[in-house]
Amino acid sequence: MSLLEIKNLHASVNGNEILKGIDLTVNPGEVHSIMGPNGSGKSTLAQVLARRESYEVTAGSIMFDGKDLLEMKPEDAACEGLFMAFQYPVEIPGISNAYFLRAALNAVLKYRGQDEMDAIDFLPLLKEKMRLLEMDERFLNRPVNEGFSGGEKKRNEIVQMAVLEPKLAVLDETDSGLDIDALKIVAKGVNAMRNKNRAMVLVTHYQRLLDYIVPDFVHVLVNGRIVKSGGPELALELEEKGYSWTEAEPAGARR
Amino acid sequence: MITATQAPEKYLEIFDQFGSRTASHPHWLQSLRQDAFARFSETGFPTTHDEDWRFTNVAAVASTPFELAASATVSREQLEPFGASQFACCLVFVNGLFSGELSTLRPLPKGVTVGSLAAQIKNDPATLEPHLGRYLNIPRDVFAALNTSLMGDGVYVHVPRGVVVEIPIYVLYVTVPGATPTMNHPRNLIVAEENSQVTVVEDYVSMGEGITFSNAATELVAGDNANVSHYMIVREGDQAYNFSTLRIQQGRHANVATHSLLLSGALVRNNVHPVLAGEGSECLINGLFMANGRQHMDNYMLVEHASPHCDSRQFYNGILNGQSHGVFHGRIIVHKDAQKTDAKQTNRNLLLSDDAQIDTKPQLEIYADDVKCTHGATIGQFDDNALFYLRSRGLAEAAARHVLLLAFANECLDRMNSPQLRDHLEKLVVAGMPEAATFAGPRLGEGAERNWEEVG
């Protein structure tokens, strides 16, 4: 059974249709990259998957691990094993990273009927994941994302993913704005989490990320539709030629 | 000549009766009371035409025929839920009277005096004369004048030079309402001499419902290089009027932190008035107010910089729910000689309902030319992005809201850094939150100490 099955997905924001019929199947263990120019709907797709309420699904279906994702609230999707790394992680002053992550992990554990973790068991786990992302321990007690640099925020997202161990991780432009060192660290963290059960969807504008996280499939999203799919070589072709040739290609893709 | 026409006649009668009970008091104290009453009579209660009372109407207090509260009997078991008995040094006042029976006083360092102010007036009034009534601005503050006129009992703390009191001195003021409206005027004096250190908590609670008026006044004197923490907790009943004035006098390099937690009461007015009189002194004025229903909570800060090189930091966060009304009035006066003043003021407010209201007003008066003064106020609702972020990590919506409220409250709680009080204060805050029942998450204790910050 596939982990994620998107069929004919149409979605609107404030009445504007952004996604115009997306079909995508992701199996456990696979890494898919969704590339496309600005405004093509990449982030909308990520937000819809994370169940953001301001994104209205007008047609189509999404099955996640055999369940109807569109019936789920954001917290249900998270507890079912879907994780989105935010393009713009939110700052939450007044709550420490450690508190936030334990509250999140315990919400997920509780949903699954597992025992919640106390601080004593949780801290070593969190520290281990932070080491993986080369984050200093002082970030444990720092308020969530507050005063973090762009790179620190993105690394913090991957720390969260590592703690929550999702079945499907959607990384929304996690590479944007990162310098090469930060990019390598993020990629190392993501690669360490690849396994045969976990799938990933990398939403990115730049091919550069794919030098470090090599996907199994690359899809090109233009104007709300996937216009081309292929292997990792497609990303290189995009890098070379830009997006314009893909836009012209499938004649029926535009209205 | 003084006329009594503006003050309700009722108060003259009460003042006269009260005077007959205090006939044995020393002359200086009697004249202090008489002068204060003259001032109260002259001024009467303020109206909203008065700039300092623009957002708070005290007509209900002025027109209610309050009588001085009679003594009441309360058992230890009845006090248990207030959580004050966990503190080794806990003084209990019931309807304004000290209860030796309900209080526990662990042995304190040698030379430290902690007890009833009324007892001190009776036994050794000369020790009080240099301080009692010397700092409150009686001509300007009518409620301080009324308190001084009808001065009830309260805590007297005296810490001699160089002595450090490690445990907090916890003072519980229990109001037991009567069949008719009652009032009392708690009066406290805290004197921390040079190089000493002490923490004092004032906690005002009600037992049962009824119309009451608590009008407290505290004078806090921090000598040179003294380190004093003061906490003010107000969690009175739905028909309680709670007014308080804290006047702080700071010597050279004295470091004072005053924290307020306003959790309930029909009408709460919290006056905090530090005077940084000694060079290089520092004051942290930190508070959280959470109002529900039709509650009204007014915070009136008056920070006076009177000497060079002093720092003051004000941080007040308000959470307003229902049809409640919050006020933050932050006045900073930098006197002519107070060069190199560094004064910051931040007031952040979260409105949880369409009917809740906040008035926030900074007021800077600067008469020195080399100073740094900043102020900022924000008013907002729940941040949808933050809510979605938390939910996307698995927290249910109610839990996510609760975490955001905690986060907001925690900005203030984190500055209340007494390890002995932290748990207790956090419990009070969590219990007072609108959505408290819906979420039992991990405790916040993992929070780090946060630096003072600026919110624009």
Side-chain angles (χ1 to χ4, degrees), chain A residues 52 75 94 141 157 160, chain B residues 385 389 391 393 410 446 450:
Chain A
R52 186 152 199 150
E75 55 267 37
N141 288 326
E157 292 293 287
Q160 294 173 29
Chain B
N385 278 324
Y389 191 61
R391 294 177 71 190
R393 297 299 180 252
N410 207 28
E446 291 153 320
R450 304 188 62 223

Side-chain angles (χ1 to χ4, degrees), chain B residues 170-249:
Chain B
Y170 201 100
V171 190
L172 187 70
Y173 303 84
V174 185
T175 295
V176 184
T180 53
T182 59
M183 65 175 169
N184 76 78
H185 303 270
R187 178 63 171 244
N188 309 295
L189 176 64
I190 301 159
V191 180
E193 289 191 355
E194 195 180 326
N195 274 316
S196 67
Q197 186 174 326
V198 67
T199 299
V200 179
V201 184
E202 296 182 37
D203 183 5
Y204 293 83
V205 304
S206 303
M207 248 175 53
E209 284 297 330
I211 301 170
T212 59
F213 172 33
S214 168
N215 175 36
T218 300
E219 288 170 295
L220 189 167
V221 188
D224 292 354
N225 214 34
N227 205 306
V228 183
S229 295
H230 177 269
Y231 291 79
M232 176 76 185
I233 305 167
V234 178
R235 40 174 175 153
E236 290 208 302
D238 286 340
Q239 298 178 77
Y241 302 103
N242 185 293
F243 288 56
S244 65
T245 300
L246 170 66
R247 170 67 171 82
I248 301 167
Q249 181 76 9

Side-chain angles (χ1 to χ4, degrees), chain A residues 47 50-53 73-75 78-79 83-86 89-90 92-96 98-100 102-104 107-108 119 141 143-146 157 160 164, chain B residues 348 383-386 388-398 402-404 406-408 410-411 414 439-450 453:
Chain A
Q47 300 277 339
R51 305 301 306 121
R52 186 152 199 150
E53 282 151 349
K73 295 177 186 168
E75 55 267 37
C79 291
F83 178 91
M84 180 177 76
F86 280 51
V90 181
I92 308 181
I95 289 288
S96 74
Y99 174 88
F100 165 60
R102 188 154 71 90
V108 171
N141 288 326
V144 181
N145 292 327
E146 195 192 37
E157 292 293 287
Q160 294 173 29
L164 296 174
Chain B
R348 302 186 64 205
D383 176 354
D384 282 339
N385 278 324
F388 176 63
Y389 191 61
L390 291 168
R391 294 177 71 190
S392 79
R393 297 299 180 252
L395 294 173
E397 190 175 354
H402 188 74
V403 166
L404 289 182
L406 272 182
F408 189 73
N410 207 28
E411 293 177 18
D414 274 351
F439 179 60
R443 280 201 45 263
L444 271 176
E446 291 153 320
E449 266 184 47
R450 304 188 62 223
E453 51 155 356

Side-chain angles (χ1 to χ4, degrees), chain B residues 207-344:
Chain B
M207 248 175 53
E209 284 297 330
I211 301 170
T212 59
F213 172 33
S214 168
N215 175 36
T218 300
E219 288 170 295
L220 189 167
V221 188
D224 292 354
N225 214 34
N227 205 306
V228 183
S229 295
H230 177 269
Y231 291 79
M232 176 76 185
I233 305 167
V234 178
R235 40 174 175 153
E236 290 208 302
D238 286 340
Q239 298 178 77
Y241 302 103
N242 185 293
F243 288 56
S244 65
T245 300
L246 170 66
R247 170 67 171 82
I248 301 167
Q249 181 76 9
Q250 295 189 223
R252 275 177 83 91
H253 300 114
N255 195 325
V256 175
T258 168
H259 307 281
S260 302
L261 264 188
L262 311 184
L263 302 170
S264 60
L267 171 56
V268 180
R269 165 83 169 200
N270 172 36
N271 297 301
V272 180
H273 181 186
V275 177
L276 294 103
E279 195 170 319
S281 53
E282 279 179 46
C283 193
L284 167 66
I285 303 120
N286 173 45
L288 174 68
F289 54 104
M290 306 200 310
N292 286 302
R294 294 182 160 278
Q295 292 170 352
H296 182 105
M297 292 184 178
D298 178 352
N299 301 280
Y300 187 96
M301 307 291 120
L302 170 56
V303 179
E304 278 190 69
H305 283 260
S307 277
H309 295 285
C310 295
D311 287 3
S312 66
R313 298 286 181 273
Q314 295 178 60
F315 300 101
Y316 261 71
N317 280 15
I319 300 174
L320 287 313
N321 199 10
Q323 295 160 285
S324 66
H325 185 177
V327 181
F328 178 82
H329 188 140
R331 193 169 164 201
I332 300 172
I333 302 176
V334 180
H335 291 285
K336 196 163 118 300
D337 296 330
Q339 301 296 0
K340 304 286 179 191
T341 285
D342 188 349
K344 282 200 179 110

